[in-house]
mmCIF file with all atom_site columns, all heavy atoms in Angstrom:
data_model
loop_
_atom_site.group_PDB
_atom_site.id
_atom_site.type_symbol
_atom_site.label_atom_id
_atom_site.label_alt_id
_atom_site.label_comp_id
_atom_site.label_asym_id
_atom_site.label_entity_id
_atom_site.label_seq_id
_atom_site.pdbx_PDB_ins_code
_atom_site.Cartn_x
_atom_site.Cartn_y
_atom_site.Cartn_z
_atom_site.occupancy
_atom_site.B_iso_or_equiv
_atom_site.pdbx_formal_charge
_atom_site.auth_seq_id
_atom_site.auth_comp_id
_atom_site.auth_asym_id
_atom_site.auth_atom_id
_atom_site.pdbx_PDB_model_num
ATOM 1  N N   . MET A 1 111 ? -0.625 15.521 -10.984 1.00 96.00 ? 416 MET A N   1
ATOM 2  C CA  . MET A 1 111 ? -0.870 16.233 -9.725  1.00 96.00 ? 416 MET A CA  1
ATOM 3  C C   . MET A 1 111 ? -0.177 17.593 -9.663  1.00 96.00 ? 416 MET A C   1
ATOM 4  O O   . MET A 1 111 ? -0.074 18.188 -8.597  1.00 96.00 ? 416 MET A O   1
ATOM 5  C CB  . MET A 1 111 ? -0.423 15.383 -8.522  1.00 96.00 ? 416 MET A CB  1
ATOM 6  C CG  . MET A 1 111 ? -1.139 14.061 -8.439  1.00 96.00 ? 416 MET A CG  1
ATOM 7  S SD  . MET A 1 111 ? -2.839 14.326 -7.988  1.00 96.00 ? 416 MET A SD  1
ATOM 8  C CE  . MET A 1 111 ? -3.363 12.669 -7.708  1.00 96.00 ? 416 MET A CE  1
ATOM 9  N N   . ILE A 1 112 ? 0.338  18.037 -10.818 1.00 95.00 ? 417 ILE A N   1
ATOM 10 C CA  . ILE A 1 112 ? 1.005  19.349 -10.908 1.00 95.00 ? 417 ILE A CA  1
ATOM 11 C C   . ILE A 1 112 ? 0.099  20.255 -11.709 1.00 95.00 ? 417 ILE A C   1
ATOM 12 O O   . ILE A 1 112 ? -0.483 19.810 -12.723 1.00 95.00 ? 417 ILE A O   1
ATOM 13 C CB  . ILE A 1 112 ? 2.375  19.184 -11.590 1.00 95.00 ? 417 ILE A CB  1
ATOM 14 C CG1 . ILE A 1 112 ? 3.303  18.280 -10.763 1.00 95.00 ? 417 ILE A CG1 1
ATOM 15 C CG2 . ILE A 1 112 ? 3.043  20.539 -11.806 1.00 95.00 ? 417 ILE A CG2 1
ATOM 16 C CD1 . ILE A 1 112 ? 4.569  17.911 -11.431 1.00 95.00 ? 417 ILE A CD1 1
ATOM 17 N N   . PRO A 1 113 ? -0.074 21.525 -11.342 1.00 94.00 ? 418 PRO A N   1
ATOM 18 C CA  . PRO A 1 113 ? -0.932 22.433 -12.117 1.00 94.00 ? 418 PRO A CA  1
ATOM 19 C C   . PRO A 1 113 ? -0.505 22.509 -13.576 1.00 94.00 ? 418 PRO A C   1
ATOM 20 O O   . PRO A 1 113 ? 0.678  22.412 -13.905 1.00 94.00 ? 418 PRO A O   1
ATOM 21 C CB  . PRO A 1 113 ? -0.736 23.808 -11.436 1.00 94.00 ? 418 PRO A CB  1
ATOM 22 C CG  . PRO A 1 113 ? -0.288 23.472 -10.048 1.00 94.00 ? 418 PRO A CG  1
ATOM 23 C CD  . PRO A 1 113 ? 0.489  22.213 -10.171 1.00 94.00 ? 418 PRO A CD  1
ATOM 24 N N   . ALA A 1 114 ? -1.473 22.683 -14.462 1.00 92.00 ? 419 ALA A N   1
ATOM 25 C CA  . ALA A 1 114 ? -1.210 22.666 -15.903 1.00 92.00 ? 419 ALA A CA  1
ATOM 26 C C   . ALA A 1 114 ? -0.280 23.769 -16.375 1.00 92.00 ? 419 ALA A C   1
ATOM 27 O O   . ALA A 1 114 ? 0.436  23.619 -17.364 1.00 92.00 ? 419 ALA A O   1
ATOM 28 C CB  . ALA A 1 114 ? -2.537 22.750 -16.665 1.00 92.00 ? 419 ALA A CB  1
ATOM 29 N N   . GLU A 1 115 ? -0.241 24.890 -15.656 1.00 92.00 ? 420 GLU A N   1
ATOM 30 C CA  . GLU A 1 115 ? 0.603  26.005 -16.067 1.00 92.00 ? 420 GLU A CA  1
ATOM 31 C C   . GLU A 1 115 ? 2.115  25.741 -15.799 1.00 92.00 ? 420 GLU A C   1
ATOM 32 O O   . GLU A 1 115 ? 2.954  26.409 -16.387 1.00 92.00 ? 420 GLU A O   1
ATOM 33 C CB  . GLU A 1 115 ? 0.175  27.338 -15.381 1.00 92.00 ? 420 GLU A CB  1
ATOM 34 C CG  . GLU A 1 115 ? 0.226  27.329 -13.882 1.00 92.00 ? 420 GLU A CG  1
ATOM 35 C CD  . GLU A 1 115 ? -1.075 26.961 -13.228 1.00 92.00 ? 420 GLU A CD  1
ATOM 36 O OE1 . GLU A 1 115 ? -2.014 26.517 -13.946 1.00 92.00 ? 420 GLU A OE1 1
ATOM 37 O OE2 . GLU A 1 115 ? -1.173 27.131 -12.038 1.00 92.00 ? 420 GLU A OE2 1
ATOM 38 N N   . LEU A 1 116 ? 2.436  24.719 -15.001 1.00 93.00 ? 421 LEU A N   1
ATOM 39 C CA  . LEU A 1 116 ? 3.833  24.361 -14.792 1.00 93.00 ? 421 LEU A CA  1
ATOM 40 C C   . LEU A 1 116 ? 4.248  23.314 -15.838 1.00 93.00 ? 421 LEU A C   1
ATOM 41 O O   . LEU A 1 116 ? 3.652  22.226 -15.873 1.00 93.00 ? 421 LEU A O   1
ATOM 42 C CB  . LEU A 1 116 ? 4.030  23.806 -13.366 1.00 93.00 ? 421 LEU A CB  1
ATOM 43 C CG  . LEU A 1 116 ? 3.881  24.797 -12.224 1.00 93.00 ? 421 LEU A CG  1
ATOM 44 C CD1 . LEU A 1 116 ? 4.009  24.085 -10.899 1.00 93.00 ? 421 LEU A CD1 1
ATOM 45 C CD2 . LEU A 1 116 ? 4.930  25.874 -12.312 1.00 93.00 ? 421 LEU A CD2 1
ATOM 46 N N   . LYS A 1 117 ? 5.188  23.640 -16.652 1.00 93.00 ? 422 LYS A N   1
ATOM 47 C CA  . LYS A 1 117 ? 5.670  22.776 -17.741 1.00 93.00 ? 422 LYS A CA  1
ATOM 48 C C   . LYS A 1 117 ? 7.040  22.285 -17.441 1.00 93.00 ? 422 LYS A C   1
ATOM 49 O O   . LYS A 1 117 ? 7.869  22.994 -16.879 1.00 93.00 ? 422 LYS A O   1
ATOM 50 C CB  . LYS A 1 117 ? 5.669  23.528 -19.089 1.00 93.00 ? 422 LYS A CB  1
ATOM 51 C CG  . LYS A 1 117 ? 4.354  24.135 -19.501 1.00 93.00 ? 422 LYS A CG  1
ATOM 52 C CD  . LYS A 1 117 ? 3.352  23.071 -19.855 1.00 93.00 ? 422 LYS A CD  1
ATOM 53 C CE  . LYS A 1 117 ? 2.065  23.758 -20.349 1.00 93.00 ? 422 LYS A CE  1
ATOM 54 N NZ  . LYS A 1 117 ? 0.932  22.893 -20.175 1.00 93.00 ? 422 LYS A NZ  1
ATOM 55 N N   . TYR A 1 118 ? 7.313  21.045 -17.867 1.00 93.00 ? 423 TYR A N   1
ATOM 56 C CA  . TYR A 1 118 ? 8.630  20.456 -17.671 1.00 93.00 ? 423 TYR A CA  1
ATOM 57 C C   . TYR A 1 118 ? 9.583  21.059 -18.702 1.00 93.00 ? 423 TYR A C   1
ATOM 58 O O   . TYR A 1 118 ? 9.300  21.125 -19.907 1.00 93.00 ? 423 TYR A O   1
ATOM 59 C CB  . TYR A 1 118 ? 8.576  18.932 -17.888 1.00 93.00 ? 423 TYR A CB  1
ATOM 60 C CG  . TYR A 1 118 ? 9.913  18.238 -17.753 1.00 93.00 ? 423 TYR A CG  1
ATOM 61 C CD1 . TYR A 1 118 ? 10.485 18.084 -16.534 1.00 93.00 ? 423 TYR A CD1 1
ATOM 62 C CD2 . TYR A 1 118 ? 10.580 17.788 -18.885 1.00 93.00 ? 423 TYR A CD2 1
ATOM 63 C CE1 . TYR A 1 118 ? 11.728 17.441 -16.414 1.00 93.00 ? 423 TYR A CE1 1
ATOM 64 C CE2 . TYR A 1 118 ? 11.780 17.129 -18.788 1.00 93.00 ? 423 TYR A CE2 1
ATOM 65 C CZ  . TYR A 1 118 ? 12.362 16.981 -17.526 1.00 93.00 ? 423 TYR A CZ  1
ATOM 66 O OH  . TYR A 1 118 ? 13.560 16.378 -17.437 1.00 93.00 ? 423 TYR A OH  1
ATOM 67 N N   . THR A 1 119 ? 10.749 21.527 -18.222 1.00 92.00 ? 424 THR A N   1
ATOM 68 C CA  . THR A 1 119 ? 11.781 22.066 -19.125 1.00 92.00 ? 424 THR A CA  1
ATOM 69 C C   . THR A 1 119 ? 13.140 21.566 -18.673 1.00 92.00 ? 424 THR A C   1
ATOM 70 O O   . THR A 1 119 ? 13.361 21.284 -17.470 1.00 92.00 ? 424 THR A O   1
ATOM 71 C CB  . THR A 1 119 ? 11.809 23.586 -19.147 1.00 92.00 ? 424 THR A CB  1
ATOM 72 O OG1 . THR A 1 119 ? 12.066 24.074 -17.832 1.00 92.00 ? 424 THR A OG1 1
ATOM 73 C CG2 . THR A 1 119 ? 10.472 24.194 -19.620 1.00 92.00 ? 424 THR A CG2 1
ATOM 74 N N   . VAL A 1 120 ? 14.058 21.530 -19.611 1.00 90.00 ? 425 VAL A N   1
ATOM 75 C CA  . VAL A 1 120 ? 15.453 21.215 -19.309 1.00 90.00 ? 425 VAL A CA  1
ATOM 76 C C   . VAL A 1 120 ? 16.264 22.355 -19.882 1.00 90.00 ? 425 VAL A C   1
ATOM 77 O O   . VAL A 1 120 ? 16.728 22.306 -21.037 1.00 90.00 ? 425 VAL A O   1
ATOM 78 C CB  . VAL A 1 120 ? 15.895 19.836 -19.905 1.00 90.00 ? 425 VAL A CB  1
ATOM 79 C CG1 . VAL A 1 120 ? 17.324 19.538 -19.516 1.00 90.00 ? 425 VAL A CG1 1
ATOM 80 C CG2 . VAL A 1 120 ? 14.974 18.744 -19.466 1.00 90.00 ? 425 VAL A CG2 1
ATOM 81 N N   . GLU A 1 121 ? 16.471 23.363 -19.059 1.00 81.00 ? 426 GLU A N   1
ATOM 82 C CA  . GLU A 1 121 ? 17.302 24.497 -19.485 1.00 81.00 ? 426 GLU A CA  1
ATOM 83 C C   . GLU A 1 121 ? 18.671 24.302 -18.903 1.00 81.00 ? 426 GLU A C   1
ATOM 84 O O   . GLU A 1 121 ? 18.840 24.187 -17.683 1.00 81.00 ? 426 GLU A O   1
ATOM 85 C CB  . GLU A 1 121 ? 16.699 25.818 -18.985 1.00 81.00 ? 426 GLU A CB  1
ATOM 86 C CG  . GLU A 1 121 ? 15.363 26.142 -19.649 1.00 81.00 ? 426 GLU A CG  1
ATOM 87 C CD  . GLU A 1 121 ? 14.772 27.416 -19.131 1.00 81.00 ? 426 GLU A CD  1
ATOM 88 O OE1 . GLU A 1 121 ? 15.443 28.100 -18.333 1.00 81.00 ? 426 GLU A OE1 1
ATOM 89 O OE2 . GLU A 1 121 ? 13.622 27.717 -19.512 1.00 81.00 ? 426 GLU A OE2 1
#
Side-chain angles (χ1 to χ4, degrees):
M416 299 292 189
I417 298 172
E420 60 267 10
L421 291 175
K422 303 291 184 205
Y423 178 74
T424 60
V425 182
E426 293 178 7

